[in-house]
Amino acid sequence: MGTQVRTAIITGASQGIGLACAKRLHRDGCRVFGFDINKPSSQGLEVSEFTEFTEFLIVDVSDSSACKDAMSKVGQVDILVNSAGIVGPNMPFWEVSDQDWSRTLDINLTGTFNMMRAVVAQMRERKWGRIINIASIAGKEGNPNLAAYSASKAAVIGLTKSVGKELATDGVLVNSIAPAVISTPMNEKTAPQVLEYMISRIPMSRVGQPEEVAALVSWLASDECSFSTGACYDISGGRATY
Ligand SMILES: NC(=O)c1ccc[n+]([C@@H]2O[C@H](COP(=O)([O-])OP(=O)(O)OC[C@H]3O[C@@H](n4cnc5c(N)ncnc54)[C@H](O)[C@@H]3O)[C@@H](O)[C@H]2O)c1
């Protein structure tokens, strides 16, 4: 691919980790398409002010046809970062409703699957692609009272391992990331005692910053990442040592 400008799609790009990834990949020289169910407004800016985006599209990743339709507006895509996600229900698992369980799995897991399936054909055809799925430490360890979220993220790690192996000789590298608590709007909705528990498990005794996650994504999206696929990369301040 040489020095050709690459096109990246970032889901969940309106805020938090997705937005940090959009800014970072824009800085890396990519054309960046943001997909999100909400417009980027968390910092009081309108979409047009986000120069990081080549284009921003309203897409619900849990809707497979919406993902396919949006792809037709992007054309060639080289990099996919699946960051769209929700915390889901914060409660003992026996109190979780059918609806909350399904919605969490539909967005965090099926949304990731939908987007990977929508981009893979053309990546395989060109023999180059980078897919980065934002999973979570919750998917490795399980966080109490976050059963749907933990299950969805464990499934994203498993999905990544499986697809990474399927595409291993196609030039399309698929990796996941397992962050511990990162300072984003997502945590504003997390119950304080859950947040406190999660920080207490981090040896560095602090939350991570979205830019720290974006730096890892930047490398995973690059040519320099060349001998890793199906892996789950830790970014947890030392919480996970495996
Ligand atoms: N913040 C953390 O502590 C943390 C830790 C580990 C993993 N993660 C994961 O990182 C990813 C990003 O998290 P964040 O902290 O930036 O969250 P966030 O809530 O700040 O941002 C998530 C974005 O996803 C979008 N979104 C939600 N449902 C969607 C849908 N159906 N279709 C398209 N977009 C949708 C939201 O509108 C939002 O812009 C998530 O997958 C999350 O599970 C976050």
Side-chain angles (χ1 to χ4, degrees):
M1 300 267 297
T3 54
Q4 183 179 334
V5 172
R6 291 195 166 123
T7 299
I9 295 175
I10 321 278
T11 73
S14 285
Q15 61 182 40
I17 293 170
L19 180 57
C21 290
K23 289 180 176 173
R24 176 61 195 248
L25 291 183
H26 173 74
R27 208 176 87 199
D28 291 348
C30 294
R31 298 173 69 226
V32 176
F33 286 77
F35 286 11
D36 202 294
I37 202 166
N38 294 310
K39 284 186 180 178
S41 60
S42 61
Q43 295 167 350
L45 298 174
E46 289 304 319
V47 177
S48 57
E49 295 175 79
F50 277 75
T51 52
E52 290 85 9
F53 295 120
T54 304
E55 196 172 338
F56 182 88
L57 300 169
I58 296 289
V59 182
D60 178 348
V61 296
S62 68
D63 178 345
S64 63
S65 341
C67 294
K68 276 185 216 144
D69 290 351
M71 281 310 303
S72 62
K73 293 180 187 138
V74 174
Q76 177 175 318
V77 59
D78 307 292
I79 297 160
L80 169 65
V81 180
N82 281 305
S83 190
I86 58 169
V87 177
N90 249 209
M91 59 186 68
F93 83 91
W94 58 88
E95 290 176 13
V96 172
S97 68
D98 291 354
Q99 197 188 10
D100 283 349
W101 174 264
S102 301
R103 187 75 186 136
T104 309
L105 274 287
D106 285 351
I107 295 172
N108 295 358
L109 173 60
T110 309
T112 300
F113 170 77
N114 287 339
M115 285 301 304
M116 287 202 297
R117 191 177 51 181
V119 303
V120 73
Q122 47 158 314
M123 286 183 177
R124 288 186 68 215
E125 204 177 303
R126 290 196 315 281
K127 293 274 177 203
W128 202 94
R130 296 287 183 271
I131 298 175
I132 301 104
N133 297 326
I134 314 296
S136 171
I137 192 78
K140 280 179 150 186
E141 296 201 344
N143 281 333
N145 298 312
L146 285 174
Y149 183 76
S150 301
S152 71
K153 295 300 185 175
V156 166
I157 294 169
L159 175 66
T160 304
K161 288 180 181 176
S162 175
V163 173
K165 288 183 173 72
E166 283 182 44
L167 301 175
T169 56
D170 287 338
V172 182
L173 308 187
V174 189
N175 291 292
S176 66
I177 291 185
V181 194
I182 307 298
S183 177
T184 71
M186 174 174 269
N187 292 314
E188 287 162 13
K189 297 171 216 147
T190 308
Q193 66 273 24
V194 175
L195 203 55
E196 203 179 306
Y197 164 80
M198 293 191 293
I199 294 171
S200 75
R201 305 286 314 276
I202 299 174
M204 287 188 189
S205 292
R206 68 167 177 91
V207 297
Q209 296 303 318
E211 293 74 22
E212 295 179 286
V213 180
L216 178 54
V217 168
S218 166
W219 179 75
L220 288 169
S222 74
D223 280 310
E224 294 210 322
C225 173
S226 55
F227 200 46
S228 296
T229 197
C232 179
Y233 282 78
D234 173 67
I235 182 149
S236 71
R239 176 169 167 183
T241 49
Y242 57 93

